[in-house]
Each structure stands twice: as C-alpha cells, then as structure tokens.
Amino acid sequence: DNIEKGEELINNDLNINASGNGYCLGIYTASNNQLDINGNVTMKGKDGSWGIDNHDTSMPNDAGHYSISGIYAGSDYSLQRGSLININGNVDLAVNGTGVLANGGFATVNINGGGTINIKKNEETAHYAIDAESATVNMNMNDERTAAGNNKVNITGNIGVLNGAVHQNEPNKHSIVNLGLSTADSTLHGVVVNNFTQENINMGFNGTANFYISNGATWTNEAWGLPTAGDVGKLFTGSIVEKLVGGNDKAHAGVIIQKDNNPLTINNY
C-alpha cells in the first residue's frame, strides 16, 4: 500500500459560496486524501438563500445528485481509493441540490458536530440531504459510531444509501449512513432511499441507514421531493432503516411521524 496520502488541516471556520451552471461543489476531496476542519462550515447565501447553487442545471432524474453537492468525498477509480473529510464542528448548509455525498472506495464524511442541512424540494431531479454510495457518512455520532452525539441536528431532505457505485471492481460493498438525533429540537424531514436491486445484493452490495433518535427528537417520514426516478436501481417503495435506536425509556424516547404513503421498514430495533 504505497499510495501517497495527502492531508490538509484547517483550524478555522469556513464560509463557502459557489454558484454556476452544471457541476457545482462546495468542498471536494478524492483519492487517498484527508481533509480535517477544526471549525464550523457554513454554505448559505444572503438572507439564507442557497449557498451552493447551479441554478437547476443538474442532469435529469437519478444522475442529478452528482452534479451539485455541498460536501463531496469521492474516490479515485484508477486506485479504487476514497477520501476522508472530518468536520469537527457544526455545519449550516443550504444547497440547491445534494448536501453531503460520499461516493466510492470507502470514502467517508464525518460531521462530528451537528447543525443544519437544507436542500431544495425538487420534483424533477433526485437530490439528498445526505447520500452514501459504497461509502459512509456519519453525523452527530460518538467516536465508536454506536450512539448519537449531543448536538442539535436539523435536516430537510431525503437520506440516500444508493447503488450508484456498484461495479465489479468496487472494493467497498457497503453504503452506510449513521445519523444521531438526540435533542428535543433535532429534526429530520425526509425519507430513506435504498435503491439496491436484487442483482446488486447478489453481488454482495447493500445499503444501511442506522438512526439514533431520542430525547424528543423528531423524524417526519415524508418524501422531500423526488426520492428516485428508478434510472439505475429500484423505485422507491418506502423508507428502510437497518437499525433504529431510541431512548432508554419512554421519557427519553424519540418521535417518528409517519406521513409518507409508502410503508416504513425497520429491520432492527
């Protein structure tokens, strides 16, 4: 394993705006590289408008979420090696597209604080507040990724554990999102999209969304815009949570509000 690793450390808060047509990103890493940010990350325009905006010029349907994202950790497919982003602070993202995308080769985004992710409600193109594809995104989780952190989290947008990186040469067969909602004012409004087909599963690939919801935090299970167009995977038939961890007792329970017309599946509780 002689691939040289690049490392970048930023000890400051970041305020990022990006606007244009087509491909538009706020933070981008790829290959065997690591970015550590010891501070808060803000991507918002004036008066709370979109901080990352390609003016609705994304590719159509399921390909659109690759066109624009606030935070992107990708893979170098010649090396089959994904990058790592650690944000040791809070985020405040307003994105006219996808908020956080980890894509391929064990790429990982760790948001070790909490914060806000808001994306546009788009009925034409599928975008996600958080999306992992043969990669992992952790938000407001403890170091072991076994319990929620203590930060306020507010997310408006769907969560994706998607099959876009499925390939015979892809080394990571698991798409994972771990999300902690652990304060009374923490919220998620969106569905969990897992579009892996039986063929993908037979190849060993899978998607896993693990939610840790407690202390009065609320998940409103209702689609925020188009969940998926079914271009490269199965159509959306309901949220699938692999593991749901609630509070220790009734007084510390989380709240799930079921508004989507499709059923909610929880495999382990």
Side-chain angles (χ1 to χ4, degrees):
D1 191 5
N2 296 318
I3 303 169
E4 184 177 353
K5 182 176 182 178
E7 297 186 37
E8 184 74 26
L9 173 63
I10 299 174
N11 290 312
N12 212 333
D13 294 337
L14 296 180
N15 194 329
I16 299 170
N17 284 265
S19 178
N21 293 327
Y23 202 46
C24 188
L25 302 172
I27 294 173
Y28 173 87
T29 62
S31 190
N32 190 34
N33 294 302
Q34 178 174 332
L35 172 63
D36 295 311
I37 302 169
N38 293 323
N40 301 320
V41 175
T42 300
M43 299 181 187
K44 295 179 76 172
K46 293 181 178 179
D47 302 320
S49 60
W50 305 121
I52 310 298
D53 191 0
N54 70 352
H55 309 288
D56 299 313
T57 58
S58 298
M59 295 179 286
N61 301 325
D62 284 343
H65 70 282
Y66 299 114
S67 299
I68 174 172
S69 52
I71 299 169
Y72 182 99
S75 176
D76 183 328
Y77 286 100
S78 63
L79 303 174
Q80 294 295 355
R81 181 67 60 88
S83 57
L84 170 63
I85 298 174
N86 293 311
I87 298 175
N88 299 312
N90 298 321
V91 298
D92 190 359
L93 311 182
V95 182
N96 184 11
T98 288
V100 180
L101 173 58
N103 184 21
F106 297 94
T108 302
V109 177
N110 296 316
I111 300 173
N112 294 320
T116 300
I117 303 174
N118 287 323
I119 69 167
K120 182 178 180 179
K121 192 174 189 178
N122 194 318
E123 301 292 350
E124 306 296 328
T125 302
H127 283 292
Y128 306 92
I130 297 173
D131 176 26
E133 305 185 12
S134 291
T136 300
V137 178
N138 300 300
M139 184 170 184
N140 189 38
M141 297 295 298
N142 66 0
D143 290 342
E144 296 76 24
R145 315 307 181 197
T146 57
N150 299 314
N151 303 285
K152 177 183 175 182
V153 173
N154 298 111
I155 297 174
T156 306
N158 300 322
I159 306 297
V161 284
L162 303 181
N163 72 346
V166 169
H167 189 274
Q168 62 183 1
N169 295 328
E170 170 57 51
N172 182 16
K173 297 184 183 299
H174 310 294
S175 302
I176 302 170
V177 172
N178 295 311
L179 175 63
L181 304 175
S182 60
T183 68
D185 50 0
S186 289
T187 57
L188 165 64
H189 191 149
V191 295
V192 179
V193 183
N194 182 332
N195 71 338
F196 283 84
T197 65
Q198 190 59 52
E199 180 182 1
N200 300 152
I201 294 169
N202 292 343
M203 293 172 64
F205 288 87
N206 58 67
T208 300
N210 300 314
F211 285 0
Y212 300 78
I213 307 176
S214 61
N215 301 320
T218 302
W219 172 23
T220 301
N221 183 45
E222 180 181 40
W224 188 259
L226 178 69
T228 175
D231 290 353
V232 295
K234 70 177 183 179
L235 286 168
F236 178 71
T237 56
S239 292
I240 301 173
V241 175
E242 182 59 30
K243 180 168 69 173
L244 175 66
V245 177
N248 294 328
D249 52 39
K250 186 175 181 180
H252 297 90
V255 177
I256 299 175
I257 301 173
Q258 173 67 13
K259 285 192 173 183
D260 201 70
N261 293 327
N262 295 290
L264 167 61
T265 301
I266 298 172
N267 289 328
N268 296 283
Y269 177 77

